[in-house]
Amino acid sequence: MAARPEDQAFAPAPSSAPEDGVEADAAARAEAERAFSRGVELHRGGRLDEAMESYARAIAQQPDHGLALNNLAVALRCKGRFAAAEAAYRRALALQPDNPGLRGNLGNLLRERGRAGEAKRQLEQAVAAAGGEPAAETLHNYALALRDLGEFTAALRAFDRALEKNPGIVPLGADRATTRLAAGDYAAGFAELFDVPLWRGEPLNGRRLLIHAEPKESDNLMLARYLPFAARLAKDSAEDPAAPGEIVLESPPGLTRLFRQVRGIDRHVSRGERGPPVDLRLPFYCLPGLFLTSRENIPGRVPYLRAPEGAGPLLRRPRGIRLLVGLVWISDAPPP
């Protein structure tokens, strides 16, 4: 999020009688700051719809309010309104073309929308606009855009620069490791990828666990049945019940909304998004082994996932007709 509203200073009104229009302009700017301040407060509280309304009021009063435009774009992106978010970022950049944070935000959005070439250009400009001191986050996102384009050598250089600024951040190191794998450096990639200890089922006791999904979405859907049990195992036996630890679930973007309903998960991130530092990790494929699964004891409580509200078409059964629907699903089957 952009700078706190109280950091924005405004010159006091002149003591002499103002010229025509100056007093009205000052009043509009003051009202814009009040709306922006309220928007930041609502945004931090997770009330995004109300926050967007406040940002829009600030922009209506002061169309060149770059911070309000940036924060509005951040909220729109969180709500999945990508086209509107892009428009807000570009409008803000027209006002502040040398702002590296704005360029980085736009680059991340473009990358999320699969426009890797455009994302690279924006993030490259964000790095340049920061002079000799680009933030680790900017370098990280620039490296991801380079990786998306297959420019592995340049991506690894950017990852290295980011880690120099912010060493020990597990998602950054993991992204560098997968880039090494993509580039064919399997020895270094696997060694780096497994640098974070594997969780063996012991109490977290205040530590943070990352459970990360598999490449195939069908496997993730099948193995999601274990997630509530893993969360309970990790937390219920904590030495301090008030600080049992935290579980972060990383899933493919297409499944993040579905997996938000899983009980016991504290934080959700989509693959490719920045996650917090973690102490332990567990791939989805390790979940059955954690519970010594056999043919007889596979968790069978169904449904363990439900379609999110508003997802998919609404099927209405005609009056007087009994509608039977059968779903046949063969995971990763070869073509006939």
Side-chain angles (χ1 to χ4, degrees), residues 8-289:
Q8 305 305 304
F10 293 91
S15 56
S16 58
E19 300 177 4
D20 291 345
V22 173
E23 186 173 331
D25 184 64
R29 288 182 178 274
E31 177 59 32
E33 282 309 303
R34 284 192 289 271
F36 177 65
S37 299
R38 178 60 177 157
V40 171
E41 180 183 341
L42 292 165
H43 201 153
R44 288 174 177 159
R47 297 159 65 180
L48 293 183
D49 290 326
E50 296 170 81
M52 289 191 292
E53 291 176 4
S54 289
Y55 295 144
R57 285 196 297 272
I59 296 164
Q61 293 291 333
Q62 184 182 341
D64 62 348
H65 201 309
L67 295 179
L69 283 164
N70 175 73
N71 286 11
L72 175 62
V74 171
L76 286 166
R77 181 185 179 191
C78 289
K79 297 289 288 186
R81 296 171 59 183
F82 300 119
E86 180 179 346
Y89 279 137
R90 291 191 182 279
R91 184 174 166 189
L93 273 170
L95 298 167
Q96 302 177 20
D98 296 325
N99 186 316
L102 280 173
R103 288 223 175 264
N105 286 347
L106 176 58
N108 294 338
L109 175 65
L110 293 170
R111 180 176 174 269
E112 185 175 1
R113 300 188 74 187
R115 293 153 62 182
E118 295 176 75
K120 174 195 169 183
R121 286 191 292 273
Q122 291 295 336
L123 288 159
E124 200 167 45
Q125 291 180 61
V127 172
E133 291 298 328
E137 184 177 49
T138 303
L139 288 165
H140 186 178
N141 292 324
Y142 178 45
L144 291 173
L146 290 166
R147 184 182 71 182
D148 291 348
L149 292 168
E151 299 180 24
F152 301 126
T153 300
L156 289 169
R157 283 199 299 266
F159 279 125
D160 290 342
R161 290 179 65 190
L163 282 166
E164 287 175 6
K165 291 177 174 294
N166 204 350
I169 300 301
V170 170
L172 210 171
D175 284 336
R176 183 174 67 175
T178 55
T179 302
R180 293 192 193 282
L181 292 174
D185 188 356
Y186 298 120
F190 281 122
E192 192 169 330
L193 186 64
F194 296 115
D195 191 43
V196 180
L198 196 67
W199 181 55
R200 305 288 183 181
E202 70 276 16
L204 290 183
N205 289 332
R207 293 174 295 176
R208 183 180 286 133
L209 167 66
L210 172 67
I211 302 179
H212 49 97
E214 301 303 313
K216 295 180 181 179
E217 295 197 358
S218 55
D219 292 340
N220 297 319
L221 290 168
M222 177 182 66
L223 295 170
R225 67 182 69 221
Y226 289 95
L227 291 172
F229 301 103
R232 194 177 310 139
L233 178 66
K235 293 182 177 181
D236 281 1
S237 55
E239 295 175 5
D240 181 2
E246 185 180 36
I247 297 178
V248 180
L249 178 62
E250 182 203 58
S251 56
L255 295 181
T256 301
R257 185 180 175 199
L258 178 66
F259 284 172
R260 286 188 185 279
Q261 65 189 270
V262 176
R263 291 172 297 175
I265 304 299
D266 301 292
R267 192 182 310 194
H268 293 263
V269 295
S270 295
R271 182 178 294 142
E273 290 182 348
R274 181 174 304 282
V278 298
D279 304 294
L280 299 161
R281 65 174 185 87
L282 187 74
F284 263 49
Y285 69 80
C286 289
L287 284 164

